[in-house]
C-alpha cells in the first residue's frame, strides 16, 4: 500500500509531530511505502494567485512548485492527514493545499456543460484524519466539525467508491496531560494497525 502522510503544523516539536512520527513508524512497520509531505517544512505556498483562479475551471495550475504535489497525489493509494484543528477547521496552509493541489485535471475533470464532476482520484481507497482540538468533543459536534466534513465527506467524494475512512481526535488539547497524550498515541497506533 502506498500511503501519503500530509502533515501540517508550524511548530517542529509539537504534539502533532509526535503523532506524525508514530504514524509513520506504524505504517512503515506494516511494510507500507510511506511518503511524508510536511507542508510547513517545505514552505508550501497556500495562496492561489489571480491567474491560477481565473484558469481554475479550464486546466491544472502550471506553477512548477505544484508538480511534485500532483505526482504524490497520483501515486497515493491511501492518504493520512495529521494536523491541529484551529477554529473548528483546517489550518489555512492545509486548506490552501486542497485549493491548489486538488485541482482540475488532477483530482477531477469538470463537465463541458451541465453534468457531474468526473473523479480522477479513484485510486485512493483509504483516507484517514488524525487531529488535535482544543474544544471538547460535544462542542465540536455542536459547531458541525467542519474540518472533518471537508476531508471525510467533501474530499473523500473524489476517491474510490468504497474508500474507507477514519477520524481520530485528541479533544481538550489545551488541557491535555502527559497521560492523555500517551493514551492518544496508543490509540493512534492501534487504529493505524487496522488502517
Amino acid at each position: 500500500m502506498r500511503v501519503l502522510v500530509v502533515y501540517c503544523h508550524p511548530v517542529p516539536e509539537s504534539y502533532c509531530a509526535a503523532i506524525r512520527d508514530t504514524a509513520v513508524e506504524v505504517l512503515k512497520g506494516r511494510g507500507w511505502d510511506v511518503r511524508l509531505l510536511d507542508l510547513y517544512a517545505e514552505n508550501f505556498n497556500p495562496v492561489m494567485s489571480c491567474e491560477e483562479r481565473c484558469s481554475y475551471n479550464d486546466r491544472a495550475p502550471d506553477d512548477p512548485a505544484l508538480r511534485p504535489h500532483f505526482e504524490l497525489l497520483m501515486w497515493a493509494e491511501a492518504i493520512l492527514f495529521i494536523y491541529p484543528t484551529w477554529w473548528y477547521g483546517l489550518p489555512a496552509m492545509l486548506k490552501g493545499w486542497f485549493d491548489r493541489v486538488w485541482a482540475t485535471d488532477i483530482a477531477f475533470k469538470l463537465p463541458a456543460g451541465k453534468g457531474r464532476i468526473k473523479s480522477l482520484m479513484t485510486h485512493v481507497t483509504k483516507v484517514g484524519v488524525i487531529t488535535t482540538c482544543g474544544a471538547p468533543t460535544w462542542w465540536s459536534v455542536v459547531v458541525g466539525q467542519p474540518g472533518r466534513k471537508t476531508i471525510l465527506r467533501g474530499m473523500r467524494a473524489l476517491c474510490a467508491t468504497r474508500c474507507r475512512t477514519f477520524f481520530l481526535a485528541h479533544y481538550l488539547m489545551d488541557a491535555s496531560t502527559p497521560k492523555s497524550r500517551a493514551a492518544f498515541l496508543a490509540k493512534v497506533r492501534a487504529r493505524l494497525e487496522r488502517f
Side-chain angles (χ1 to χ4, degrees):
M1 181 67 70
R2 298 186 306 268
V3 60
L4 173 61
V5 177
V6 180
Y7 174 71
C8 186
H9 199 293
V11 181
E13 61 277 0
S14 71
Y15 178 65
C16 274
I19 294 171
R20 174 203 62 208
D21 294 345
T22 299
V24 168
E25 176 192 324
V26 171
L27 295 171
K28 283 185 175 181
R30 292 185 64 191
W32 286 19
D33 187 357
V34 179
R35 295 192 185 168
L36 174 64
L37 177 57
D38 184 335
L39 296 176
Y40 276 95
E42 79 160 51
N43 199 26
F44 178 76
N45 179 6
V47 180
M48 184 181 287
S49 69
C50 176
E51 187 278 327
E52 195 173 313
R53 180 58 205 142
C54 289
S55 64
Y56 188 84
N57 290 354
D58 302 323
R59 59 178 167 77
D62 56 12
D63 182 345
L66 296 178
R67 298 242 177 270
H69 295 263
F70 297 156
E71 290 167 8
L72 285 171
L73 212 52
M74 295 302 100
W75 169 86
E77 295 172 308
I79 306 176
L80 177 62
F81 296 94
I82 301 171
Y83 62 89
T85 294
W86 291 336
W87 287 108
Y88 316 108
L90 310 173
M93 176 89 64
L94 182 54
K95 177 59 171 68
W97 184 78
F98 280 125
D99 291 345
R100 299 191 70 213
V101 175
W102 289 57
T104 306
D105 294 336
I106 303 300
F108 61 89
K109 277 198 171 293
L110 289 172
K114 291 183 178 178
R116 296 179 64 128
I117 289 174
K118 180 185 179 200
S119 171
L120 300 177
M121 298 290 295
T122 56
H123 55 282
V124 176
T125 60
K126 297 175 188 289
V127 176
V129 171
I130 305 174
T131 188
T132 57
C133 185
T137 308
W138 71 270
W139 183 248
S140 296
V141 171
V142 166
V143 299
Q145 297 180 308
R148 178 180 188 160
K149 288 179 181 174
T150 295
I151 295 176
L152 297 187
R153 287 191 187 175
M155 309 317 285
R156 182 250 175 259
L158 291 174
C159 299
T161 304
R162 296 185 186 272
C163 180
R164 299 183 58 94
T165 65
F166 81 88
F167 180 87
L168 277 180
H170 185 308
Y171 293 101
L172 292 172
M173 189 64 205
D174 300 339
S176 70
T177 64
K179 184 177 179 182
S180 72
R181 292 189 298 272
F184 186 72
L185 285 180
K187 192 183 287 189
V188 167
R189 281 184 180 281
R191 187 60 190 86
L192 289 176
E193 288 292 350
R194 302 188 317 271
F195 184 39

